[in-house]
Amino acid sequence: MSGYCAIAPGHPVHGPYHDTEYGFPQREEAVLFERLLLEINQAGLSWETILKKREGLRAAYGGFEVDTVAGYGQADIARLMGDAGIIRNRLKVLAAIHNAQVIQTLRASHGGFAGWLDAHHPLEKADWVKLFKQTFRFTGGQITGEFLMSLGYLPGAHHQGCPAFALVARRQPAWMQAR
């Protein structure tokens, strides 16, 4: 289970995310997209770095609005690559744009990103990883696992003795629901 519960509570950067977001179910498209982009941008970096850059990422990626990011072109890519407030990695920037375009297609096929996730739940982590690799860019095992755990599709965000576990459990995350 999560070692995050041992370090995050009371921490000025990790604490608020751990206590109010991590593992909590979400349905809103912009929130799901944000979480995916945060996880993608975290690859190779610390989670604290990403949380500190979160507002810069929000500003750079149009408030995580899928349609805005899906429409980004070369000028936007150049702007993002010059923005010191974000992670300036071309592969991550291109993945954000591509993944926004994929999410747009999920609206027609599944009613949206949340509907797509629900349609495939429950899967084992390995099956989720395979599905994400087939569907999105820059989504390996760690990124996919953390994304799904952060949204309650996979267990493990909090240990049972953590106060946040009880708060998450009241929201009945997907991993707690029988299918």
Side-chain angles (χ1 to χ4, degrees):
M1 287 296 161
S2 180
Y4 200 44
C5 299
I7 63 157
H11 188 279
V13 177
H14 294 285
Y17 176 76
H18 169 273
D19 296 346
T20 63
E21 295 181 69
Y22 190 53
F24 288 77
Q26 299 292 331
R27 307 283 310 159
E28 186 182 334
E29 184 177 77
V31 174
L32 299 176
F33 185 51
E34 172 187 17
R35 203 66 60 82
L36 183 61
L37 290 191
L38 294 179
E39 294 296 345
I40 287 170
N41 277 278
Q42 189 272 329
L45 302 168
S46 74
W47 188 242
E48 187 168 338
T49 296
I50 298 308
L51 291 176
K52 286 178 177 179
K53 289 195 175 273
R54 190 177 196 182
E55 290 311 311
L57 289 160
R58 183 182 318 283
Y61 286 103
F64 301 111
E65 290 299 323
V66 169
D67 292 331
T68 299
V69 177
Y72 281 1
Q74 290 303 316
D76 296 295
I77 294 168
R79 172 183 57 80
L80 292 166
M81 293 304 296
D83 187 340
I86 68 166
I87 308 306
R88 294 177 290 181
N89 176 305
R90 182 171 287 281
L91 293 177
K92 293 176 181 183
V93 167
L94 295 175
I97 297 165
H98 172 81
N99 293 343
Q101 293 166 349
V102 169
I103 292 169
Q104 285 180 316
T105 69
L106 298 179
R107 292 174 186 157
S109 63
H110 292 85
F113 197 4
W116 182 82
L117 290 166
D118 292 344
H120 294 290
H121 174 74
L123 290 175
E124 295 295 322
K125 181 182 173 184
D127 294 324
W128 277 115
V129 170
K130 183 177 178 183
L131 178 63
F132 266 70
K133 283 184 175 185
Q134 292 170 346
T135 309
F136 297 103
R137 285 192 188 154
F138 217 103
T139 52
Q142 186 70 20
I143 291 167
T144 300
E146 281 296 323
F147 169 75
L148 293 166
M149 196 177 340
S150 79
L151 296 166
Y153 281 92
L154 289 176
H158 302 279
H159 63 73
Q160 287 190 348
C162 177
F165 182 90
L167 297 173
V168 169
R170 281 188 224 137
R171 303 268 310 272
Q172 286 293 297
W175 70 267
M176 292 184 102
Q177 299 173 21
R179 280 276 276 217

